[in-house]
Amino acid sequence: MSIFQGLSAFPITPADASGRLDTAALARLLKHIEEARADSIGLLGSTGAYAFLTREERRRAVETAMDTVGGKIPVMVGVGAIRTSDAVDLARDAKAAGADGLLLAPVSYTPLFDDEVFEHFAAVADAGQLPLCIYNNPGTTKFTFSLDLISRLSKVANIEAVKMPLPSGGDFASELASLRSATGSAFKIGYSGDWGGAPALLAGSDTWYSVIAGLLPSQALALTRAAQAGDVATVERFDAAFGPLWALFKEFGSFRVMYAIAKLLNLCDVDPPRPVLPLKDQARQRVVAALDHLDAVFSAGSTVCMQLR
C-alpha cells in the first residue's frame, strides 16, 4: 500500500519554551501511534509545529522517529520552509535519516505565483528523492493550488499525492472526480480537516490526514476502517462521538486543542510554542467533557472497537 493511503496520524512535537525537542516524549507519542496500527505517521506537519523549529531540531525529530518506529510504520516528514534552498536541505536531511516520504507546503511571506510554486516543488522533489505529497493548506499558507497546478505537479518525478483542504459545500465526490481526471489513478488524494475525514473516506478519498490520530490513533483508526468498509451507520456513530472535539477544533484551532489533550491524557506536559497560548480553564474543561464523551461511546462499542482503544 502507498504511504499516502489510509490513516495518516499527525502528532504534536513536544519541545520546551526554547524550541528544544523532548525526544523521549516524542518517542512515546510515535510508539503509541505505531502500536495502534495506523497506516502512517505525518511527522512535522502543521500540528507538529515545524514552522517553530530550527533545522537542527527538525533533524533530531526525524532521527528520533526513525530510531523509534522506523521500519514498523511509514513516516512522512514535513519539509516546508520559506526559502527553496532551506526546504531542499530539509528534504535531504529527512532522506538521510531514513524517512519514507515528504510533505511540502508552499510557505512564504511574499504571495507566490503558480510557476514559482511549481519550481519550488520540483526542486525539493528532486533533492529529496522520496515520494512527496503536496500540502494544499490555504488557511495557513494563503496559497491555493489550482487544478491545473496539481495536474502539472503530478507529472513531476517523486510527486505522488496531494493533501487537500475540505471542499466548499462538502462535495467530495465531484472534487475527487476532477482531481483524478487531471492526475491519473496512481496519484493519491487525501484530505485534512478532521471533521471532514469520514465523509471524505466514504466518498472514496485515499487518505485521511488526521490531527486527532496523533494522540487518539485507535479511535481514529476505528472510524477510518469503518469508512473504508462503507459501514455508514458505524461511521456516523463514531463521527458523532468525535463531534464535541470537532467543535473545539473549529473554535480554537486543532493545534491548541491537541496540546490540551496531550496534557489531560498524561502523554506529555508541554505548552504550544509562543506566541500561541494554551487554552484557558473553561475551554480545557470542554476538552475534558469531549474526551469523556468520546470514551463513553467507544467503551460501549463493539469488541473490535474496545480492542482498538
Side-chain angles (χ1 to χ4, degrees), residues 25-214:
L26 178 60
R28 286 196 301 273
L29 296 181
L30 297 174
K31 192 67 178 175
H32 185 53
I33 296 169
E34 181 262 319
E35 289 175 346
R37 300 184 181 180
D39 296 304
S40 68
I41 288 172
L43 185 73
L44 297 174
S46 297
T47 304
Y50 73 90
F52 295 90
L53 299 172
T54 65
R55 178 184 176 185
E56 178 185 0
E57 293 306 307
R58 291 168 74 165
R59 185 191 300 116
R60 292 181 66 231
V62 184
E63 291 170 349
T64 298
M66 303 319 297
D67 288 345
T68 304
V69 298
K72 300 174 184 176
I73 180 173
V75 177
M76 173 181 63
V77 177
V79 294
I82 290 178
R83 294 182 63 89
T84 298
S85 59
D86 290 340
V88 162
D89 287 340
L90 291 164
R92 288 173 175 158
D93 288 347
K95 170 74 171 178
D100 301 287
L102 304 175
L103 177 67
L104 179 63
V107 183
S108 183
Y109 183 83
T110 301
L112 299 174
F113 296 122
D114 280 13
D115 285 346
E116 293 169 331
V117 170
F118 180 88
E119 295 297 336
H120 179 69
F121 273 72
V124 175
D126 181 62
Q129 291 296 304
L130 288 171
L132 184 146
C133 179
I134 300 163
Y135 190 2
N136 185 4
N137 185 15
T140 297
T141 65
K142 309 306 177 187
F143 181 88
T144 301
F145 284 81
S146 66
L147 182 62
D148 178 66
L149 180 56
I150 293 172
S151 178
R152 289 174 62 199
L153 286 168
S154 72
K155 298 170 178 60
V156 174
N158 301 315
I159 299 181
E160 300 182 5
V162 64
K163 180 176 186 279
M164 294 289 292
L166 303 180
S168 177
D171 189 355
F172 292 97
S174 294
E175 183 168 89
L176 284 164
S178 295
L179 286 165
R180 289 195 168 121
S181 177
T183 60
S185 59
F187 191 80
K188 301 303 181 185
I189 302 164
Y191 286 87
S192 55
D194 272 21
W195 51 93
L201 289 168
L202 286 172
S205 72
D206 297 299
T207 325
W208 177 19
Y209 295 103
S210 172
V211 172
I212 200 62

